[in-house]
Amino acid sequence: MLSQSDKGGADRVLYILSVFAKIERPVTVAELITLTALPQSTLYRQLTLLKKWGFVFEVQGEYMPGPRCLPLAWGFNHSSFLLQHARKDMLALSTQTGESVGILVAVEDVAVCLDMVESTSSLRCSFVKGRSLPLIRGASAKSLLAFLPPAKQQAVVQQAIAQGLLNTAQAEQLKADVITVQQHGYAVSEGEVDDGVWGVSAPLFQHKNSALGVITLMAPTARASPRAQQLIHATVRAASSISSTLAALLD
């Protein structure tokens, strides 16, 4: 419990994070009030701040450590709601195809890699566990961007333009690509993030049109091109399986 000398906002934030570090399951606000002895209004205020920065993740009123905790604590994968229910299909997809498979989520304007199952063959790829990249290029980024709220999509694109990461023509192309992803239900890219790397990414849903994250398969272009449709089909099927598992938890 917080002492009288530790009542500042920063102390409260760190205290809440320390409580999350001690538990290994999602918790409700009511449980957090009991665990922290903080007033409900104070707790909501701190949780909103932690969610904004990606240190806390909320699903259906339950809270758990968020992806920004990953670089600080590799134990995140043991308590992550998404990874808990995606890991089996990740492993199956990697085993079936022989390629690298990752789970990524959107945090603010970046795509964060929560976990990777590495291919037995070598692959030089920017996405490794815990790393983040701008939410504007590659199959993973486009698949994540496509299922963000429209206002958030626009904010991401405008910020990328302001930072010099996109010019006007590239921004318009990105918007068109996002529409294509929404129509097809997956994104494909080649060499957009890493030279010689092909990728396919499909969203993971618990609620319709609101993606919790994406599953992405990555492979050298030379190895992927002859069987691109096979890899796309396998990835979309894995995403559908994970989404069905997530949706069933609401029943």
Side-chain angles (χ1 to χ4, degrees):
M1 186 175 295
L2 283 173
S3 66
Q4 286 300 116
S5 61
D6 294 329
K7 293 292 186 179
D11 288 307
R12 292 191 183 107
V13 167
L14 294 173
Y15 177 55
I16 292 170
L17 284 177
S18 73
V19 170
F20 277 113
K22 296 175 184 177
I23 54 181
E24 298 182 353
R25 58 180 177 80
V27 289
T28 64
V29 167
E31 290 177 287
L32 284 171
I33 290 173
T34 300
L35 292 168
T36 64
L38 291 172
Q40 181 172 305
S41 60
T42 299
L43 187 58
Y44 270 120
R45 189 161 56 249
Q46 305 305 328
L47 287 173
T48 298
L49 182 63
L50 288 166
K51 284 171 59 181
K52 174 183 175 182
W53 286 95
F55 286 101
V56 164
F57 198 52
E58 179 191 3
V59 178
Q60 289 293 289
E62 292 188 320
Y63 295 82
M64 63 213 76
R68 283 292 192 190
C69 294
L70 190 57
L72 302 177
W74 296 110
F76 167 70
N77 59 325
H78 296 298
S79 57
S80 165
F81 174 85
L82 185 54
L83 290 182
Q84 177 185 350
H85 298 289
R87 184 71 181 175
K88 182 180 72 173
D89 288 288
M90 281 180 68
L91 290 168
L93 179 59
S94 182
T95 300
Q96 174 191 350
T97 62
E99 305 299 350
S100 298
V101 176
I103 295 290
L104 298 96
V105 296
V107 180
E108 295 300 309
D109 59 346
V110 297
V112 179
C113 182
L114 298 187
D115 200 8
M116 285 284 293
V117 177
E118 300 290 349
S119 167
T120 53
S121 304
S122 61
L123 175 68
R124 292 181 62 110
C125 179
S126 292
F127 278 121
V128 296
K129 185 175 178 179
R131 183 173 295 174
S132 63
L133 291 172
L135 202 60
I136 55 173
R137 291 189 181 90
S140 299
K142 291 175 184 178
S143 191
L144 286 166
L145 188 63
F147 295 97
L148 292 177
K152 180 60 178 175
Q153 291 178 18
Q154 184 175 357
V156 168
V157 173
Q158 291 302 316
Q159 183 171 341
I161 293 173
Q163 293 174 339
L165 299 176
L166 292 175
N167 58 36
T168 302
Q170 290 169 330
E172 290 304 314
Q173 182 60 56
L174 178 59
K175 293 176 184 178
D177 290 344
V178 162
I179 293 173
T180 300
V181 174
Q182 292 168 340
Q183 293 171 340
H184 292 172
Y186 63 87
V188 174
S189 66
E190 182 179 328
E192 290 187 24
V193 178
D194 296 292
D195 289 339
V197 175
W198 180 93
V200 55
S201 181
L204 307 174
F205 298 105
Q206 187 172 42
H207 300 276
K208 186 177 180 181
N209 295 327
S210 180
L212 292 180
V214 297
I215 184 169
T216 300
L217 181 147
M218 291 154 275
T221 299
R223 197 162 67 222
S225 293
R227 54 186 185 130
Q229 288 305 313
Q230 175 191 343
L231 297 177
I232 291 170
H233 178 72
T235 302
V236 170
R237 188 170 56 195
S240 177
S241 176
I242 295 169
S243 295
S244 295
T245 299
L246 295 171
L249 298 174
L250 300 177
D251 296 339

